[in-house]
Structure formats: C-alpha cells, structure tokens
C-alpha cells in the first residue's frame, strides 16, 4: 500500500489500471490478460483482490490510468525504464528522484524516474527511447503507456520470486525539457520506426485497444509457446529469439534460454 501511495504522490496519479495474466493451470480456457481500474480511494479493496489473483499464480501489473487517445490528454511527471541492471538502477536513484523495483533475483529492475515536466504519452515514449539507448534497458518497454510489474507481488515468470522495492525517491526530479521538442508527425513516425517489432506478435488481449499496454517479454513468451506447439526445436527457437531480442543487449541469449525453458514447462502443463 505504501508503494502505491508513494507513486500516486510522486507521479500525480488519481487512478490506476491493473492487468493480470490468468494462470492457465487454474483456468483451462487458456493464457490470457484481464484488466481492471480503481481510484486511489479504492486501493485497499483492489489490493486484496490482486493478492488473491497473485496467490493463484497470476502475474500482476499496473499503470496510471490514461486516455484512449493516441496522445494521452492525461500528463504525468514520470517515465519508466525496464530491465535495468541493479547496480545501474541504484546509481540512477542516487542522482535522480526515482523508485527502483527489483523484479527478479537475476538483478533486473524497473525504474520509475520522476521528472520536473509533465509528459504526454508521446513525450514519454520519446524520453524513454532516449534514455533506453544511454542505459541499455529493455527497448520493448518504450510505448509510453506500458504496464509495469506491481511491487510486493510474486513474479511467477521467474518461479515465484518476489517483486520488491530496493530504492525510494530521494533526489531531485530529472529535467527532460531538452528532449521535448515540438511533437510533430515526423517525430512520432521516427519513434515508431525505431521501436523494434521483432518476430513476435502482440500479447493476446480481450481488447484490441489494449495490445500496446502489455510487455514485449510476455509477447516473446506467447510466441515461444506457439513455436513449441508447432513442433519447432527449442535450440532453433532460442537462436531466433536471441536475434530478435537485441533490446536485451548482452543478455539476449540468456533471456532467450530462460523464456524458451519457461514456455516448454508451460507447454507440458
């Protein structure tokens, strides 16, 4: 509860959107996303529901509520970087106002960086892409509206590891004014061209309009499951995924091996 209260205060969030991946072991209708919303006043109630979902094996995600418009009219003073090395994440938090959430014992972190400027969805995308290139974080998590893992829940993709906060906001807010050139059609088209699509389709979603809010990692997992069901050998899937997972940098091969192994376990359930 404290984490969400801190995020709500720092990012000016008045309501949250939740996403959870339904555990196919508990629901034979298959692997799928479900979504919900709540205002800050209802956080305690929704947290109880999310704990129940998490206890049943569902991975829990969240994001500040945003407009359905292409360029959200709701502006927030923050952006998120995903899959940041823990040492680098702590370094960012030491010099900037940021919340660091460790999503796995392997060291991957999500960093909520709070800014002096309020950012639209498109502006967050541009800022995320700029810092992703500098830091080497997940290039698949730069949509401006993607979900992040909810802190204090288990990450079942990593075998039930806890997602914990390892760094609280302390420093000064980061100014990104130098990156906020007028958002023109050319800027948006350039950002879209630079966002790699890879060989994996979007994560299955009950609502087509929500496809851009789920993570590329989940899309990779779903793609691997389909390849295994189609009879493709694991070694070939690992090689192909590592090639399209350039956003993982030097960790691409290890990421591919873990994702295919998880997909193989899922496929035999």
């Amino acid at each position: 509860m404290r984490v969400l209260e801190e995020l709500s205060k720092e990012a000016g969030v008045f309501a949250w959107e939740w996403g959870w991946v339904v555990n196919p072991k508990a629901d034979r209708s298959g692997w799928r996303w479900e979504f919900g919303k709540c205002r800050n006043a209802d956080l305690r109630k929704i947290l109880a529901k999310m704990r129940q979902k998490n206890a049943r094996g569902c991975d829990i995600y969240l994001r500040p509520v945003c407009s359905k418009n292409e360029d959200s009219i709701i502006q927030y003073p923050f952006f998120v970087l995903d899959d940041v090395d823990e040492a680098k994440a702590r370094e960012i938090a030491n010099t900037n106002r940021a919340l660091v959430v460790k999503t796995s014992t392997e060291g991957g972190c999500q960093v909520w960086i709070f800014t002096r400027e309020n950012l639209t969805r498109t502006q967050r995308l541009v800022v995320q892409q700029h810092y992703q290139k500098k830091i080497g974080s997940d290039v698949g998590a730069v949509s401006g509206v993607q979900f992040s893992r909810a802190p204090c829940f288990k990450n079942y993709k990593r075998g039930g590891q806890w997602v914990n906060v390892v760094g609280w906001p302390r420093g000064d807010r980061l100014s990104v004014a130098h990156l906020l050139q007028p958002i023109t059609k050319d800027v948006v088209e350039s950002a879209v061209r630079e966002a790699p699509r890879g060989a994996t389709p979007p994560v299955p979603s009950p609502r087509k309009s929500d496809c851009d809010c789920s993570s590329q990692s989940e899309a990779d997992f779903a793609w691997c499951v389909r390849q295994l069901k189609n009879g493709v050998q694991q070694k070939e899937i690992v090689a192909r995924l590592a090639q399209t997972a350039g956003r993982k940098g030097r960790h691409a091969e290890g990421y591919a091996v873990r994702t295919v192994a998880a997909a193989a376990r899922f496929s035999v359930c």
Side-chain angles (χ1 to χ4, degrees):
M1 185 68 185
R2 180 193 170 194
V3 180
L4 291 185
E5 289 177 341
E6 189 76 23
L7 283 173
S8 296
K9 179 183 71 174
E10 294 287 347
V13 180
F14 65 92
W16 295 89
E17 292 185 19
W18 295 86
W20 57 93
V21 180
V22 176
N23 182 1
K25 292 183 179 180
D27 186 339
R28 294 301 176 182
S29 62
W31 184 90
R32 70 182 191 278
W33 277 81
E34 290 184 355
F35 301 91
K37 297 181 181 180
C38 76
R39 290 186 173 274
N40 286 348
D42 299 321
L43 277 177
R44 291 190 182 277
K45 182 186 300 184
I46 196 68
L47 279 173
K49 180 179 180 180
M50 293 302 100
R51 289 190 185 100
Q52 292 177 354
K53 293 283 187 181
N54 193 229
R56 294 172 185 166
C58 296
D59 284 312
I60 310 297
Y61 300 83
L62 82 168
R63 70 176 181 184
V65 69
C66 57
S67 168
K68 294 300 182 183
N69 295 335
E70 180 64 23
D71 190 6
S72 174
I73 60 174
I74 304 178
Q75 301 179 21
Y76 295 110
F78 82 97
F79 64 96
V80 179
L81 297 176
D82 191 16
D83 198 24
V84 181
D85 178 78
E86 184 176 357
K88 186 63 178 180
R90 289 181 181 275
E91 179 183 334
I92 293 171
N94 285 336
T95 55
N96 302 279
R97 196 164 190 82
L99 181 81
V100 180
V101 180
K102 187 174 180 179
T103 60
S104 71
T105 56
E106 285 85 353
C109 294
Q110 291 178 338
V111 187
W112 295 65
I113 302 175
F114 303 106
T115 60
R116 297 179 186 176
E117 299 80 15
N118 284 323
L119 308 175
T120 65
R121 167 185 174 174
T122 303
Q123 288 172 330
R124 284 196 299 276
L125 184 152
V126 171
V127 172
Q128 283 177 316
Q129 287 187 339
H130 173 81
Y131 284 101
Q132 180 276 320
K133 291 175 182 177
K134 291 183 63 175
I135 295 171
S137 60
D138 186 351
V139 77
V142 290
S143 70
V145 292
Q146 76 278 359
F147 276 126
S148 299
R149 281 196 175 271
C152 305
F153 289 92
K154 283 188 177 180
N155 176 355
Y156 285 99
K157 189 177 178 181
R158 293 288 181 264
Q161 301 175 15
W162 285 99
V163 178
N164 292 320
V165 173
V166 295
W168 290 90
R170 292 179 299 177
D172 296 329
R173 288 175 176 269
L174 175 69
S175 176
V176 294
H178 61 293
L179 301 175
L180 302 183
Q181 58 181 306
I183 301 299
T184 64
K185 182 179 179 181
D186 291 341
V187 172
V188 174
E189 289 179 349
S190 175
V192 171
R193 284 196 301 271
E194 291 182 18
R197 291 174 177 79
T200 58
V203 178
S205 168
R207 297 197 302 270
K208 185 178 180 180
S209 61
D210 288 315
C211 286
D212 65 348
C213 65
S214 48
S215 71
Q216 183 64 40
S217 297
E218 297 292 353
D220 291 342
F221 176 80
W223 177 80
C224 289
V225 170
R226 286 195 294 274
Q227 296 304 305
L228 288 168
K229 289 183 177 180
N230 290 335
V232 182
Q233 295 296 313
Q234 290 191 29
K235 287 184 177 180
E236 181 179 348
I237 300 173
V238 168
R240 289 166 62 185
L241 181 58
Q243 290 177 351
T244 61
R247 65 187 186 286
K248 299 289 180 179
R250 66 183 184 279
H251 303 299
E253 185 173 352
Y255 165 77
V257 170
R258 292 193 302 273
T259 303
V260 173
R265 292 194 297 271
F266 171 88
S267 299
V268 299
C269 294

